[in-house]
Amino acid sequence: GRGPKKTRWTTWCRLHRNWLGPDVPVLPLTTWGITVVAAQLKEGGYRSPGDYLSTAKSHHLRKHEWSSTLARQHSVSLRSCMRGLGPGKQCAELLLKDFTVGADRVADQKGIPVGFKFAGVLAYFFVLREIEQSLMLYTSVRIDVVKEVVTLLLPASKTDWVALSCERSWGCVCTPGSCCADACPYHAACAQQALLQQRFGSKVDDPGFPFMPSQTGEVMSKEGVTKAVARSA
């Protein structure tokens, strides 16, 4: 987005002036300029140094050539910034069994999507991000009751927002003789479809109806899904 890019470039210019002073121009980039800014990014513990280096390179290329010397310094500086960075602060795994217990407890709270637990089980098995989970359509989920398989239409890239180019399937993983929607993608999908049909009736057949809607049947925002996960945790 334009906002984050502008912020990164502002930070780059600030760090450049911080070391080299206001009289040294930021552009064109130099090997020493890249070095001193990258050193400050590393010392400051920035989690995405590559984004700052990429933004600076983009500004440089608007009027100047990108030499092999700059390319090497860019690579060396990025490797140095990433070395020993380690995981983020909020990187602990939320186990599926813990998520489903938490999702049950917050299911009636304001802001929690309908069928959050069942849709969350699918998110675990299909490795969905919060934005993919919120934008997934009811029509993007197909269930084969004979084979006991659920198939999802998924986006293959950021430009494939209607999810037309990728299919992934999961079969039932329950032990013989038992059915558990809390730990099986197939039964979770069946439970979610049944819940949505009971709650919204024929509205689920409308084009664009989400598979994990809000309490009013609207699309959940990315931030709303993230907050729901945090509550469950």
Side-chain angles (χ1 to χ4, degrees), residues 101-112 116 215 228 231-233:
V101 173
D104 269 332
R105 294 185 179 181
V106 302
D108 296 329
Q109 294 183 10
K110 183 178 180 181
I112 301 298
F116 181 51
Q215 298 294 331
R231 288 192 203 175
S232 299

Side-chain angles (χ1 to χ4, degrees), residues 1-231:
R2 295 180 180 178
K5 288 181 179 180
K6 183 178 180 180
T7 301
R8 289 195 292 267
W9 178 240
T10 300
T11 300
W12 182 278
C13 293
R14 176 172 55 83
L15 296 179
H16 186 277
R17 291 192 299 268
N18 183 50
W19 192 297
L20 300 175
D23 297 331
V24 178
V26 180
L27 294 175
L29 295 180
T30 63
T31 56
W32 182 238
I34 293 175
T35 301
V36 299
V37 173
Q40 294 175 88
L41 292 173
K42 181 177 182 178
E43 180 68 19
Y46 283 74
R47 304 298 305 177
S48 304
D51 292 340
Y52 292 88
L53 287 162
S54 177
T55 299
K57 178 181 177 180
S58 178
H59 279 78
H60 175 90
L61 288 173
R62 292 177 182 178
K63 295 183 178 180
H64 309 282
E65 290 295 326
W66 187 250
S67 66
S68 59
T69 305
L70 290 176
R72 182 182 182 279
Q73 190 60 41
H74 178 282
S75 177
V76 169
S77 298
L78 179 58
R79 187 165 59 247
S80 177
C81 289
M82 297 298 293
R83 186 180 297 116
L85 191 61
K89 293 181 179 179
Q90 296 176 321
C91 64
E93 181 181 3
L94 178 59
L95 298 177
L96 177 58
K97 61 180 181 179
D98 295 330
F99 165 76
T100 53
V101 173
D104 269 332
R105 294 185 179 181
V106 302
D108 296 329
Q109 294 183 10
K110 183 178 180 181
I112 301 298
V114 178
F116 181 51
K117 179 180 73 171
F118 302 132
V121 172
L122 283 182
Y124 268 78
F125 278 88
F126 286 92
V127 198
L128 304 180
R129 298 175 299 170
E130 66 280 357
I131 188 66
E132 295 166 337
Q133 193 174 6
S134 65
L135 297 179
M136 187 166 60
L137 302 179
Y138 183 87
T139 54
S140 295
V141 181
R142 300 199 307 267
I143 293 177
D144 188 329
V145 295
V146 177
K147 297 181 179 179
E148 294 189 336
V149 172
V150 56
T151 300
L152 265 58
L153 295 176
L154 300 171
S157 67
K158 292 182 178 180
T159 58
D160 184 22
W161 58 272
V162 292
L164 296 176
S165 57
C166 181
E167 286 189 0
R168 293 291 183 268
S169 300
W170 264 98
C172 175
V173 297
C174 295
T175 56
S178 66
C179 298
C180 180
D182 288 9
C184 173
Y186 168 74
H187 285 102
C190 292
Q192 178 69 350
Q193 282 196 351
L195 177 61
L196 294 179
Q197 291 170 1
Q198 179 185 2
R199 180 75 177 270
F200 299 103
S202 60
K203 189 177 179 180
V204 299
D205 297 323
D206 295 344
F209 188 82
F211 187 73
M212 190 184 69
S214 65
Q215 298 294 331
T216 58
E218 304 297 327
V219 175
M220 287 290 298
S221 67
K222 173 182 176 180
E223 292 76 12
V225 178
T226 303
K227 290 180 180 179
V229 173
R231 288 192 203 175

